[in-house]
Amino acid sequence: MPGAVGQRSLKRKQPKASEKANKRAKPTSDDEDDNSSQDEILRLEQEILESKKNYNNITTILDLAQNGQDDDTTQFALVSLCRVFLRLLVSGNLTRKSGQSEKDGVVVQWLRTRFGDYKQTIISALGQENTAPTALTLAMRVLQAEGKYLKDTDEYSFPTNFLRDVVDKLVGNGSDDIREEFCAKYLGEYADIRFYTFKVLKDILSTTSAASPEESMFDNAFDILSFFEDVPDSVEDMGDHYIDAPKKKGHPVTSLNQQKRQAQEAWLALLKLGPSREQRKRVLQIMTKSIVPWFTKPELLMDFLTDSYDSGGATSLLALSGVFYLIQERNLDYPSFYQKLYSLLDTDILHSKHRSRFIRLLDTFLSSTHLPAALVASFIKRITRLCIGAPPAAIVVVIPWIYNLFKKHPLCTFMMHRVPRTEEEMETLENEGLEDPFIADEEDPMETCAIDSCLWEVVQLQSHYHPNVATIAKIISEQFTKQAYNLEDFLDHSYSSVSQTLPSPQINPQVTNVVLVARYGAV
């Protein structure tokens, strides 16, 4: 039969028009086998519902679900068993009752065992691409019915073990589509599903942290945890309950604080897996917006953020906002923060795709008027030096930003126009030129002597080949009549958008003829 299934996906030869009109398609042997199998499953299901004597039919249908000849038979058997067990659960046939005879107790135990086998069959189907959508729907229906009816007392009970099996399969080898469906239909809609998913996900990740986890496990778990763009702010925002909410007040599943704590534990378990450099970047990109709001104790992220900030490169850029949040909100002690920030101003920073994000953060970090002028001057000097080899789209952002810094830190304005004060200095300048006191290789921004330097780099930019760059660079040489520039007006520029405004060169044909005659002679 597997061979017959494989042939079904091949393209069949199209019959001629006359054949279509005169002949009806005959059912194939495969279709007949499928129909006979489905008819047999329906007959067995009906017999189960008619009498307890036919409970053994459950084993027969379960065997068809586990060893079906094709996916259609497997799914049909799974759906049939779902109907059977849901009716048995609602009628209480899987629940032990007081005063029940020993024979009935044996039957209940047997049905519970078959119910467990059925759930494991669903989990197996959840890992198969063709049967996964159906298996997910059946799994969640069974989970809901189990939580409502399969309990010995009236107290709230959630089938955590079965949900763990479902989440374990989704994280292990589930497809992207089935994870997205689970998140959209269940995780994002129901508070109890979200609470217990966080809980079981933390347990799953904790058991795999000691070993070497597969890269896909981190990525799959990250997809589930990062599904939420907004974190609920109140109990009303948490959503409905998939299983009836507990009647007892103060239950953890109804508490927003407890739900955040479970999410916090799940994120910490994920970060302990040792993410790769690219995975670390993915985490840092959503850190302040989608991760930190889940944390009741954001200081638990200190080690991860500081390690990322110290790693250098684009990872440090992405960790900036998270580190600064902990410094500002949680009093994180990071004495070398500005020294590390200064080290990020390298030759690649203005060419990076994270340039706009970095400049926004840099503007935030240097906005305080309590910062030493020598520190701010070092940042101004360093980034203007980098503008010499930067693309136009970066320069048109840096110049307005420098303008704003001069307005906030007036003591740095001496760098704009520094003239010789004595005749000896004038003579030395005319004969030997000026030696820039700025120490470019100094790592400490407080020791670079940038405050004693001048911004000759901006003067060079005023002669830039791009007219827009040259024009905007001249604002540093003019009177500071504008209060401040809105950086958002400049951050959206790219190389192409700036280049589109570059006027086409005007060629004078007379000058061109003179040059050609001078070089090649008259024709």
Side-chain angles (χ1 to χ4, degrees):
M1 292 305 296
V5 175
Q7 293 175 357
R8 192 177 304 165
S9 62
L10 299 177
K11 293 183 178 180
R12 297 180 180 178
K13 185 177 180 181
Q14 297 294 333
K16 297 180 181 179
S18 59
E19 294 178 349
K20 290 183 179 180
N22 299 327
K23 296 183 179 179
R24 295 183 61 185
K26 296 181 179 180
T28 63
S29 59
D30 289 345
D31 294 335
E32 293 176 353
D33 292 341
D34 289 344
N35 293 332
S36 61
S37 298
Q38 294 177 7
D39 293 341
E40 178 66 14
I41 292 172
L42 290 175
R43 184 185 64 79
L44 294 172
E45 176 187 347
Q46 185 61 33
E47 290 178 356
I48 294 171
L49 301 177
E50 290 175 355
S51 174
K52 295 181 179 180
K53 297 180 181 180
N54 299 319
Y55 278 172
N56 285 328
N57 291 353
I58 295 176
T59 305
T60 305
I61 302 177
L62 189 61
D63 182 67
L64 290 173
Q66 294 172 343
N67 306 304
Q69 297 176 344
D70 51 44
D71 292 337
D72 291 339
T73 302
T74 299
Q75 295 184 71
F76 199 85
L78 288 174
V79 173
S80 175
L81 285 174
C82 181
R83 291 193 294 264
V84 169
F85 281 114
L86 288 183
R87 294 188 181 185
L88 293 175
L89 284 168
V90 173
S91 60
N93 290 336
L94 270 71
T95 306
R96 298 183 181 90
K97 301 179 179 64
S98 58
Q100 199 172 43
S101 65
E102 182 178 356
K103 182 178 179 181
D104 291 338
V106 171
V107 174
V108 170
Q109 184 60 37
W110 185 87
L111 288 175
R112 280 176 172 257
T113 304
R114 300 289 77 76
F115 183 56
D117 295 339
Y118 171 63
K119 290 192 293 185
Q120 291 305 312
T121 304
I122 293 178
I123 298 300
S124 299
L126 194 59
Q128 305 296 325
E129 183 176 358
N130 294 334
T131 58
T134 302
L136 177 63
T137 302
L138 296 178
M140 299 308 294
R141 287 182 181 177
V142 169
L143 182 139
Q144 185 181 47
E146 183 178 354
K148 286 183 177 181
Y149 305 109
L150 191 61
K151 52 185 179 181
D152 299 327
T153 62
D154 293 335
E155 295 183 2
Y156 179 79
S157 177
F158 191 92
T160 310
N161 292 333
F162 185 48
L163 181 63
R164 178 193 171 105
D165 293 338
V166 173
V167 175
D168 192 13
K169 180 63 68 173
L170 294 176
V171 172
N173 59 355
S175 64
D176 294 340
D177 293 338
I178 204 66
R179 272 192 304 275
E180 184 177 352
E181 181 179 349
F182 172 76
C183 293
K185 289 185 177 180
Y186 305 103
L187 190 66
E189 295 293 329
Y190 302 103
D192 49 354
I193 297 293
R194 191 181 313 122
F195 177 88
Y196 287 104
T197 297
F198 289 150
K199 186 174 183 178
V200 299
L201 191 56
K202 177 253 182 182
D203 295 336
I204 293 170
L205 297 175
S206 298
T207 55
T208 58
S209 59
S212 298
E214 296 181 1
E215 184 176 354
S216 60
M217 173 168 285
F218 183 97
D219 295 335
N220 297 342
F222 177 83
D223 290 342
I224 293 176
L225 289 175
S226 62
F227 171 76
F228 307 95
E229 294 184 358
D230 300 319
V231 177
D233 296 325
S234 62
V235 176
E236 290 75 15
D237 296 336
M238 291 172 57
D240 298 328
H241 288 259
Y242 193 61
I243 299 174
D244 296 339
K247 299 178 181 179
K248 183 179 178 181
K249 294 183 178 180
H251 195 281
V253 76
T254 61
S255 170
L256 177 60
N257 188 59
Q258 290 295 328
Q259 186 170 114
K260 286 186 175 182
R261 183 171 296 180
Q262 294 299 330
Q264 171 183 285
E265 296 298 324
W267 273 113
L268 291 175
L270 179 67
L271 298 180
K272 289 179 181 178
L273 292 182
S276 64
R277 191 175 186 85
E278 293 302 320
Q279 290 170 341
R280 187 178 290 261
K281 290 180 181 179
R282 292 181 62 195
V283 173
L284 293 172
Q285 285 176 341
I286 64 170
M287 177 61 69
T288 56
K289 183 178 179 181
S290 302
I291 299 179
V292 172
W294 282 111
F295 275 64
T296 57
K297 295 181 178 180
E299 55 269 21
L300 295 175
L301 291 167
M302 285 182 179
D303 291 340
F304 177 80
L305 287 173
T306 52
D307 289 345
S308 300
Y309 188 51
D310 292 337
S311 63
T315 306
S316 295
L317 297 181
L318 296 173
L320 268 176
S321 56
V323 172
F324 187 74
Y325 172 84
L326 294 180
I327 292 175
Q328 191 176 40
E329 301 293 334
R330 299 292 173 169
N331 298 321
L332 171 65
D333 185 16
Y334 200 106
S336 58
F337 175 78
Y338 282 96
Q339 183 174 342
K340 181 64 181 178
L341 181 64
Y342 184 71
S343 69
L344 297 180
L345 289 171
D346 55 17
T347 55
D348 298 328
I349 188 63
L350 295 182
H351 298 268
S352 171
K353 64 180 180 179
H354 305 295
R355 178 182 64 220
S356 298
R357 176 174 182 163
F358 175 73
I359 293 179
R360 286 189 182 95
L361 293 172
L362 199 60
D363 183 55
T364 302
F365 302 149
L366 298 178
S367 62
S368 174
T369 56
H370 299 289
L371 293 175
L375 177 72
V376 179
S378 295
F379 281 90
I380 294 175
K381 181 66 176 179
R382 182 109 168 207
I383 201 168
T384 52
R385 180 71 60 87
L386 294 175
C387 283
I388 297 297
I395 302 175
V396 297
V397 179
V398 171
I399 298 300
W401 178 70
I402 293 174
Y403 181 99
N404 293 346
L405 282 182
F406 280 138
K407 296 287 288 187
K408 294 176 183 177
H409 306 275
L411 291 178
C412 296
T413 55
F414 292 103
M415 302 172 64
M416 288 190 295
H417 186 64
R418 193 180 298 277
V419 297
R421 296 184 178 182
T422 64
E423 294 182 359
E424 294 179 355
E425 292 179 354
M426 179 66 73
E427 184 179 354
T428 303
L429 178 62
E430 293 177 354
N431 298 332
E432 301 178 7
L434 175 66
E435 181 178 356
D436 195 339
F438 174 65
I439 306 174
D441 297 333
E442 176 60 48
E443 296 180 355
D444 188 352
M446 293 296 295
E447 304 294 336
T448 61
C449 300
I451 194 67
D452 300 324
S453 179
C454 63
L455 297 182
W456 57 265
E457 296 89 350
V458 176
V459 178
Q460 296 297 316
L461 293 176
Q462 292 173 357
S463 303
H464 198 274
Y465 74 89
H466 198 298
N468 288 354
V469 174
T471 300
I472 202 168
K474 293 177 182 178
I475 65 174
I476 304 298
S477 301
E478 300 173 354
Q479 291 186 357
F480 279 32
T481 57
K482 190 176 181 66
Q483 183 63 30
Y485 283 93
N486 183 9
L487 291 184
E488 296 299 326
D489 295 338
F490 303 92
L491 286 171
D492 293 335
H493 281 296
S494 63
Y495 186 88
S496 58
S497 64
V498 174
S499 299
Q500 287 174 0
T501 61
L502 181 63
S504 302
Q506 300 296 325
I507 301 177
N508 190 330
Q510 296 181 354
V511 175
T512 305
N513 292 335
V514 171
V515 173
L516 292 175
V517 170
R519 177 169 297 182
Y520 302 107
V523 179

